Amino acid sequence: MSLLRALRDAKVLRTLDDALAQSLRRLDPSTPDCVLAAAALASLAVAQGHAAFAPAQPRQFVDANLPWPDAAGWLQALQASRFVATPESAETESGAAPLVLEHGLLYLRRYREYERRLALGLQRIAAQALVDDDAAIAPLFATLFPDAANGDLQARAATLALQRALVLITGGPGTGKTTTIARLLLMRIAQAIAAGGPLPRIALAAPTGRAAERMAESLHRATRQLETSGTDADLIAALPSTASTLHRLLGTITDTARFRHDADNPLPYDIVVVDEASMVDLPLMCKLVDAIADGAQLILLGDADQLPSVEAGDVLAAILSADDLRDHRVHLQRGWRQSDTLRLAPLATAVREGRADQALALLRGDALSNVHFHEGVDDPLRARPQLLEHWHALATIRDPAEALERANRLRLLTALREGPQGARGLNARIETLLSGRRIGTPPAWFPGRLLLITRNHHPQHLFNGDVGVCLPDEHGVPLAWFAGEGGVRAFHPAALPEHESAFAMTVHKAQGSEFDEVWLQLPRADSRVLSRELLYTAITRARDVLHIAGSAEVIAAALSRHASRVSGLGRRLSAFPMHQEPQ
């Protein structure tokens, strides 16, 4: 039986995947069926978040009993195809063929080029040496990092930032990444002043608008601490006060996938700091690295144990796996963020390490404060009526800024998008309960409705992941309100880009945000989407209170699974030598 037909009959291919295979068939009717099927699967792999398709492990992409070809024969057929390029080396461009076969992975050409360009770009940045003249700033270093001699990892990160153009700072929630950034940026500023040069031009960015806001808020808190500690006011004044999305930083060009800033028109900054780097997908990280000017510094912050990006690639994990970048990274370990009322660290550790028995014992015991396990519960709206009370109250608030702040205190998170325990199904029920409309009718504007933007719209500065609230203005005009740099901004609901309700959100959509109280609703049955990274990301969104609802069996199954992505980036980075240039 034809593999392509079997994939089509099993309804695993998207229309786009099948269209690619059919286009190749029209161009050359003699193309073997296994090559056409592999092309469709390479397209499907990108939609699943992978950078490429591995013919030797097809069930990693489609878990079904299908007439899979022998791996060796399949790879041989791909190598012989006119539609598949086989580059001579990792640094060689792949040519014009639509597919690329390299080290057993089949890529859509564009994604192989993203990997190649990103690896070469990181090599370029890492090979640049900074001027290591820190004698003049030694007193400031000693003041900011008094425990440096005792192995303080924040001090280690600051030392790297004075020596390396590429710096990776990782750590779990609340391990002090932003505090470290504030202090190491002070060191770079003081270093420039001591050398008699201009102040460094610094940009702060994150993948989403909410993550950028959080980054700016965290830096502001760190700045206040520095002010109270007696740090030089002129140094503090030189710190950046705002952060932007990566898309805004790079400068989106309407109706294209390109940006104003690229290799030919690099960013006008000496230091670029990117938070929540685990959320940055392969194409965007490639374009960011392309746009880093020669001699500029790139600092990536992130938590490698969180979910990888929604789109293709697990870039941060791949970079961290490269042996030649070991001297460019520091992993912070002490957790600070959760409030005194939430003792989450033991559970987060058990989840991160996949220890299901320990995680369940912690959830069922009383060692965790403000962590509540609702075992067997699959309907949060019945189990916790306070959720509806919280959303009902939003409709009574007159000030949109206050409503947005109140809305972000609590969030219902789900592992899935579809199904009765998925975000879409729960939102439909919540809309009905709050508005009185029947399930199945399109959701209308109603006071207190929370909205989630699902597609970037640069002219309005509304981005995928932004959350707004529906409230009338002082004249009773129905509007949708979103946070902005100068305060809240109002939009007519009909003028909004693609959006949906945001009472319940998938964990992926909540990444980069945090809430005072989180209710995590797990599905009734196991799903391939579930993983230890998903649970870890979900529970670490909570600041004060965490509720987890679901069965022990589903939790155990999730903790046995990694959210792994197929990629060749780690291999490329290890293959490309990254030697520091002599000073």
Side-chain angles (χ1 to χ4, degrees):
M1 181 181 180
S2 160
L3 176 58
L4 183 60
R5 178 176 293 278
L7 289 167
R8 202 180 296 134
D9 292 345
K11 296 183 172 23
V12 297
L13 297 179
R14 302 171 302 156
T15 302
L16 183 64
D17 309 327
D18 189 51
L20 173 60
Q22 298 307 324
S23 295
L24 299 183
R25 189 199 298 273
R26 285 193 296 272
L27 289 170
D28 185 351
S30 67
T31 303
D33 177 78
C34 67
V35 172
L36 299 176
L41 289 167
S43 175
L44 176 66
V46 170
Q48 294 178 343
H50 304 284
F53 169 64
Q57 298 175 301
R59 293 183 72 114
Q60 185 173 357
F61 305 84
V62 179
D63 189 11
N65 292 317
L66 297 176
W68 300 114
D70 169 72
W74 204 353
L75 290 171
Q76 188 174 9
L78 289 168
Q79 289 174 327
S81 173
R82 57 176 286 202
F83 297 123
V84 181
T86 53
E88 294 180 359
S89 72
E91 299 183 36
T92 305
E93 288 192 45
S94 53
L99 302 168
V100 181
L101 183 65
E102 193 173 32
H103 291 278
L105 299 181
L106 184 69
Y107 293 84
L108 298 181
R109 181 174 62 87
R110 184 175 13 154
Y111 284 85
R112 188 269 180 179
E113 288 304 300
Y114 284 141
E115 273 196 5
R116 184 188 68 85
R117 284 167 44 199
L118 175 55
L120 289 172
L122 290 170
Q123 177 194 31
R124 169 180 64 86
I125 298 170
Q128 297 170 163
L130 301 182
V131 177
D132 187 10
D133 182 16
D134 57 0
I137 57 174
L140 176 62
F141 187 93
T143 299
L144 294 175
F145 302 100
D147 293 328
N150 299 321
D152 178 20
L153 292 173
Q154 294 190 6
R156 168 65 178 156
T159 300
L160 278 184
L162 296 173
Q163 300 170 344
R164 303 276 196 266
L166 178 65
V167 180
L168 311 168
I169 301 175
T170 60
T175 48
K177 294 189 290 292
T178 309
T179 300
T180 303
I181 282 298
R183 294 179 180 184
L184 69 81
L185 288 178
L186 282 181
M187 300 297 300
R188 290 295 316 274
I189 292 166
Q191 189 180 50
I193 293 173
L199 292 177
R201 297 164 297 175
I202 303 169
L204 306 179
T208 67
R210 181 57 188 148
E213 289 172 13
R214 275 191 50 220
M215 187 183 192
E217 292 165 0
S218 298
L219 190 69
H220 184 59
R221 287 194 296 269
T223 300
R224 289 202 305 268
Q225 292 174 354
L226 291 168
E227 289 171 345
T228 59
S229 68
T231 305
D232 189 312
D234 290 337
L235 291 179
I236 294 175
L239 287 171
S241 59
T242 61
S244 74
T245 64
L246 285 171
H247 286 82
R248 189 178 303 170
L249 175 73
L250 292 170
T252 303
I253 301 175
T254 304
D255 297 328
T256 76
R258 296 182 295 108
F259 293 104
R260 285 190 294 108
H261 292 289
D262 55 18
D264 295 324
N265 180 32
L267 290 163
Y269 297 105
D270 304 299
I271 305 171
V272 176
V273 184
V274 178
D275 198 10
E276 298 288 356
S278 66
M279 298 173 61
V280 184
D281 60 50
L282 174 61
L284 185 56
M285 187 68 83
C286 173
K287 293 170 185 179
L288 168 67
V289 168
D290 278 350
I292 299 296
D294 287 341
Q297 184 176 45
L298 175 62
I299 302 175
L300 300 177
L301 312 178
D303 184 351
D305 295 307
Q306 286 191 28
L307 281 167
S309 62
V310 177
E311 305 299 333
D314 191 355
V315 176
L316 181 62
I319 296 173
L320 294 174
S321 72
D323 289 340
D324 283 351
L325 290 178
R326 289 189 182 279
D327 292 338
H328 293 256
R329 67 180 190 249
V330 173
H331 181 67
L332 305 179
Q333 296 177 345
R334 185 177 179 183
W336 300 89
R337 188 178 77 195
Q338 273 75 35
S339 67
D340 293 337
T341 62
L342 179 62
R343 186 167 179 264
L344 189 61
L347 178 64
T349 299
V351 168
R352 186 177 64 242
E353 296 176 357
R355 291 187 272 118
D357 290 344
Q358 183 176 353
L360 289 168
L362 287 167
L363 288 171
R364 288 167 170 159
D366 55 8
L368 303 176
S369 59
N370 273 4
V371 177
H372 308 282
F373 183 31
H374 305 270
E375 190 164 1
V377 168
D378 58 15
D379 188 348
L381 304 183
R382 291 183 181 275
R384 191 161 181 80
Q386 294 93 327
L387 292 171
L388 284 173
E389 293 172 8
H390 168 78
W391 295 317
H392 269 300
L394 296 179
T396 66
I397 300 174
R398 293 181 178 272
D399 180 5
E402 180 186 351
L404 285 170
E405 189 275 330
R406 290 271 295 275
N408 283 322
R409 292 181 189 176
L410 180 150
R411 195 57 46 90
L412 170 58
L413 301 183
T414 69
L416 306 179
R417 178 169 174 76
E418 307 295 340
Q421 289 87 38
R424 181 170 288 178
L426 285 168
N427 275 322
R429 288 182 58 205
I430 295 166
E431 291 160 5
T432 298
L433 293 169
L434 295 180
S435 69
R437 297 175 66 91
R438 290 180 299 135
I439 290 181
T441 58
W445 183 96
F446 59 86
R449 184 187 178 201
L450 295 181
L451 300 175
L452 176 72
I453 300 299
T454 58
R455 184 179 293 274
N456 294 336
H457 193 267
H458 299 279
Q460 293 177 319
H461 293 290
L462 289 173
F463 299 95
N464 185 7
D466 288 353
V467 173
V469 64
C470 293
L471 287 175
D473 66 8
E474 65 271 20
H475 305 294
V477 177
L479 296 172
W481 303 82
F482 290 81
E485 292 181 2
V488 292
R489 301 174 297 145
F491 299 87
H492 191 281
L496 292 175
E498 293 179 26
H499 61 277
E500 59 192 28
S501 287
F503 302 106
M505 291 172 59
T506 62
V507 177
H508 263 297
K509 289 292 187 183
Q511 199 168 354
S513 299
E514 58 181 22
F515 313 97
D516 293 344
E517 182 175 349
V518 166
W519 178 289
L520 172 62
Q521 181 62 60
L522 297 173
R524 187 179 294 119
D526 185 27
S527 166
R528 290 181 63 188
V529 172
L530 293 171
S531 65
R532 63 182 66 172
E533 289 82 4
L534 184 141
L535 291 188
Y536 174 82
T537 302
I539 67 176
T540 54
R541 299 309 91 206
R543 277 189 295 243
D544 300 318
V545 182
L546 171 66
H547 297 266
I548 300 178
S551 71
E553 293 76 17
V554 167
I555 291 174
L559 295 186
S560 70
R561 187 181 294 119
H562 272 296
S564 60
R565 298 282 178 84
V566 173
S567 166
L569 180 59
R571 177 192 51 76
R572 290 180 200 283
L573 291 170
S574 298
F576 292 173
M578 299 191 188
H579 299 303
Q580 196 86 358
E581 292 179 351
Q583 299 180 24

